[in-house]
Amino acid sequence: MRLHKTDEFSSVFAFRRVLRGKYFALHYCPNEAGGARLGLVVAKKLAKRAVLRNLVKRIGRDVFRHAHASLPDYDLVLRLSAKVGDVTRRTMREDMLALFERLPKTGRESKAK
């Protein structure tokens, strides 16, 4: 249920579909794997301390795990796009959930393009 290889991340970024939230950007691309898969990108520039970067990734995986059953078959890359130094965990979680809910419900239209 996760993206691991550089090629998998590159194909999602190359598809050029993105939803933007207050703190995160959700890049997505239809897949043939038979379920949603997640990759996380947290830059040192936006979260200086490793503890914070790991927290953001841990929250992202948890939100994805709970929302996985309702997500369409997409490869997803959740990317931190704003500094989160003093942001609460609840705010990060709500921003991620809002992005997952805004995903198009089926990848069929996207494949036709």
Side-chain angles (χ1 to χ4, degrees):
M1 292 192 320
R2 291 180 50 192
L3 302 177
H4 294 285
K5 298 179 183 173
T6 304
D7 292 344
E8 294 169 339
F9 280 86
S10 297
S11 66
V12 175
F13 289 128
F15 194 68
R16 303 183 60 83
R17 297 283 186 264
V18 64
L19 300 170
R20 297 187 195 285
K22 188 170 182 179
Y23 299 103
F24 298 94
L26 182 65
H27 300 263
Y28 63 95
C29 173
N31 72 19
E32 303 294 330
R37 299 187 305 169
L38 178 71
L40 294 155
V41 177
V42 182
K44 285 183 184 178
K45 183 176 182 179
L46 299 174
K48 298 284 185 200
R49 301 183 66 207
V51 172
L52 182 58
R53 290 193 302 275
N54 290 335
L55 174 68
V56 171
K57 289 188 247 183
R58 198 166 46 249
I59 292 171
R61 286 190 297 268
D62 186 54
V63 169
F64 176 76
R65 184 173 54 248
H66 290 291
H68 184 263
S70 64
L71 294 175
D73 295 347
Y74 284 121
D75 284 343
L76 306 168
V77 175
L78 186 65
R79 184 176 56 85
L80 185 65
S81 60
K83 290 189 177 186
V84 291
D86 57 347
V87 176
T88 65
R89 294 176 184 191
R90 172 179 271 172
T91 306
M92 285 191 277
R93 186 177 296 275
E94 288 171 355
D95 195 29
M96 292 175 192
L97 275 172
L99 290 173
F100 287 146
E101 289 171 1
R102 288 175 42 204
L103 275 172
K105 294 301 175 201
T106 179
R108 304 295 178 245
E109 303 88 42
S110 302
K111 290 179 186 176
K113 290 182 181 181

